[in-house]
Amino acid sequence: MDSLRSHIEAGGWPVGTRIPPEQALVEELGVGRSTLREALGALVHLGLLEARVGDGTYVRASSELQSVMVRRASSAQRNNVLELRTVLEEYASGAAALRRSEDHLRQLKELLADADAACAGEDRAAATRVDALFHRAVVRASGNDLLIEVYDCLGTALASALGGLPWDAADAEEHAGLHRRLVDAIEARDESGARAAAAAIVQLTRDHEPEAPRAAEEP
């Protein structure tokens, strides 16, 4: 089990991918089929793997910490997830403005360009993926290793909070403008400006949350 877990944690099988079939793993690892099944079952129990009947086994999380935190965040109310995102990203953005390197800044600008291209092509799924990469890059620029680890563990749940929101062209442009404002503040080493831009990005998302359905009135 340790070799399988190490391979997952090292990114050998990224989250969301299907691991090799059982026979291939038996041959690669040089273990018996029963030993392999026991190890796979343990990793499923820990939440690192997910067995899908008739489809194989997929990587669900890269670590036990990620498994626990993503499961908890995914079961929380969307508004609570957005509040948590505000806390993490606002602090991280301010820290990034103070500690970012030229490499961090270059990566952020490249991701901005990728996001603009995705929006121009009206590919909402691609735009969401780039947005998640952008915010992870901001957090990494903070230089806080523990914050980076926690944010990476929650990345899937935090990114999912953006999915399915009713964005129109004006909303998308405002969203892009706030991201440019954030990068400008980080480049200028403007801590308060970066924190304000990060908070505004999450607030825009919260403003577009669909209203909860009203309970049916009693006859």
Side-chain angles (χ1 to χ4, degrees), residues 73-157:
S74 297
S75 66
Q77 295 180 8
R78 285 166 65 96
N79 190 57
N80 289 345
V81 173
L82 289 169
E83 287 183 358
L84 176 59
R85 183 183 171 195
T86 301
V87 171
L88 295 178
E89 292 188 9
E90 185 177 340
Y91 176 83
S93 296
L98 298 177
R99 303 170 185 163
R100 58 86 178 163
S101 66
E102 290 302 314
D103 285 341
H104 290 138
L105 189 60
R106 181 170 58 253
Q107 183 182 22
L108 289 172
K109 290 182 176 181
E110 289 174 353
L111 288 169
L112 271 185
D114 291 343
D116 288 342
C119 289
E122 298 184 352
D123 187 341
R124 183 60 187 153
T128 299
R129 287 194 297 272
V130 174
D131 186 82
L133 291 173
F134 174 86
H135 288 288
R136 286 178 176 174
V138 171
V139 175
R140 289 192 177 96
S142 73
N144 184 318
D145 290 340
L146 183 57
L147 177 60
I148 293 168
E149 182 179 0
V150 170
Y151 191 87
D152 280 346
C153 288
L154 288 169
T156 301

Side-chain angles (χ1 to χ4, degrees), residues 24 34 38 40-41 47 51 61 65 88 95 99 102 104 111 150 163 181 191 199 201 213 215:
S34 60
E38 182 179 346
L40 292 175
L65 175 61
L88 295 178
R99 303 170 185 163
E102 290 302 314
H104 290 138
L111 288 169
V150 170
R181 178 178 144 195
E191 179 184 9
I201 290 170

